[in-house]
């Protein structure tokens, strides 16, 4: 009687174990859309992020609007004289070099913070335990970051351009997106944000330390381009591949009124430089996360 009971219990336990194993085997793997949704929730849960992006947007717009106000005050009531290159001036004050530097610093810091925070707190272990496919996780993080920062860049560049042209229009010096070269200048300013954010993201995945990631991002985005000039072909080729140099070329709505170096960059090459940095940063982050222990 005891043997029979034991046998029955064993059979019941085996059945339960088999059912659990079958359930685990048939448990669907998380889809990439689910990873994107989870990373979006995680991004929104970062408490300082709305304040950082909000304050950053206000500062950037204020810097650009101040440049437009200066140009407005130094333009006659009848507008700029013909042939003065006012189109390039109107575009340049819509998104200045100072605002581009501030945007690069802010976006790079945000990109690094998105991934470094998880490594610092140890939450990345939980994430990878829930989703063993680390590359998919990193791609989802990068996708959410790129979309958010692209929206941020579009907002800042669009508002800055609209306010600046509304002000300059009072002096008959405003331009529109339909004017030659203006659209790619505004789009280049908007694209600068996600590109620099992904660079910070890739470096943050590699370094995994908050302060060191920010310092490395500054070195790559600011000091590295300063090491190359555009006076020699090989040096110019490297300089044109840098994010800031690529943005500067896209911002030239009227290159005929700009002193060009011996080997100037091209609009197509500048867009390719943006794309190359973004793709390389994401692929490097995915490769590092896949091979290194957390």
């Amino acid at each position: 009687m005891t043997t029979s009971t034991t046998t029955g219990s064993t059979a019941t336990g085996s059945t339960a174990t088999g059912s659990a194993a079958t359930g685990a085997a048939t448990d669907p793997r998380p889809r990439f859309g689910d990873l994107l949704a989870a990373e979006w929730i995680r991004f929104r849960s970062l408490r300082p992020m709305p304040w950082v992006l909000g304050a950053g947007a206000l500062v950037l717009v204020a810097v650009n609007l101040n440049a437009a106000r200066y140009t407005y005050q130094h333009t006659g009531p009848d507008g700029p004289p013909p042939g003065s290159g006012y189109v390039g001036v109107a575009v340049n004050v819509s998104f200045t070099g100072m605002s581009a530097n501030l945007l690069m610093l802010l976006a790079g810091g945000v990109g690094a913070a998105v991934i470094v925070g998880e490594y610092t707190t140890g939450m990345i272990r939980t994430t990878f335990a829930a989703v063993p496919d680390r590359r998919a996780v990193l791609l989802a993080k990068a996708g959410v970051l790129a979309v958010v920062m692209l929206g941020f860049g579009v907002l800042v560049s669009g508002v800055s351009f609209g306010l600046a042209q509304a002000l300059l229009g009072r002096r008959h010096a405003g331009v529109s997106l339909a004017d030659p070269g203006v659209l790619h200048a505004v789009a280049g300013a908007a694209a600068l944000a996600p590109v620099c954010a992904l660079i910070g993201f890739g470096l943050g995945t590699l370094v995994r330390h908050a302060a060191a990631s920010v310092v490395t991002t500054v070195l790559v985005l600011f000091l590295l381009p300063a090491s190359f000039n555009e006076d020699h072909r090989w040096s110019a080729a490297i300089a044109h591949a840098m994010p800031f140099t690529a943005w500067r070329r896209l911002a030239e709505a009227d290159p005929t009124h700009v002193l060009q170096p011996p080997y100037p960059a091209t609009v197509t090459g500048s867009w390719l430089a943006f794309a190359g940095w973004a793709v390389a940063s994401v692929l490097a982050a995915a490769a590092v996360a896949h091979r290194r222990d957390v």
Side-chain angles (χ1 to χ4, degrees), residues 3 7 74 98 111 134 144 148 159 173 175 178 203 229 245-246 276 288:
T3 303
T7 304
H74 291 78
M98 179 182 294
R134 299 183 178 184
V144 170
V148 172
V159 172
V175 296
L203 293 175
N229 56 54
T245 310
V288 169

Side-chain angles (χ1 to χ4, degrees), residues 56-72:
L58 291 176
V59 170
L60 291 171
V61 172
V63 169
N64 294 323
L65 191 57
N66 183 61
R69 182 183 64 86
Y70 179 85
T71 303
Y72 169 83

Side-chain angles (χ1 to χ4, degrees), residues 155-183:
L155 174 66
V156 170
S157 63
V159 172
S160 297
F161 179 81
L163 293 179
Q165 301 317 309
L167 182 61
L168 295 177
R170 299 180 182 180
R171 291 283 195 263
H172 307 287
V175 296
S176 69
L177 292 175
D179 291 323
V182 175
L183 181 58

Side-chain angles (χ1 to χ4, degrees), residues 139-253:
L139 290 176
K141 290 180 182 294
V144 170
L145 175 65
V147 171
V148 172
M149 295 309 295
L150 177 60
F152 178 81
V154 170
L155 174 66
V156 170
S157 63
V159 172
S160 297
F161 179 81
L163 293 179
Q165 301 317 309
L167 182 61
L168 295 177
R170 299 180 182 180
R171 291 283 195 263
H172 307 287
V175 296
S176 69
L177 292 175
D179 291 323
V182 175
L183 181 58
H184 71 63
V186 178
L192 184 64
V195 171
C196 293
L198 291 176
I199 293 174
F201 178 80
L203 293 175
T205 306
L206 177 64
V207 178
R208 302 185 182 185
H209 186 275
S213 297
V214 173
V215 171
T216 306
T217 302
V218 170
L219 291 175
V220 172
L221 292 179
F222 295 95
L223 297 185
L224 184 60
S227 303
F228 304 95
N229 56 54
E230 300 177 68
D231 296 332
H232 303 281
R233 186 180 298 275
W234 67 270
S235 182
I238 299 176
H240 296 162
M242 298 293 108
F244 182 78
T245 310
W247 165 81
R248 190 174 59 191
R249 175 60 186 90
L250 294 174
E252 294 175 355

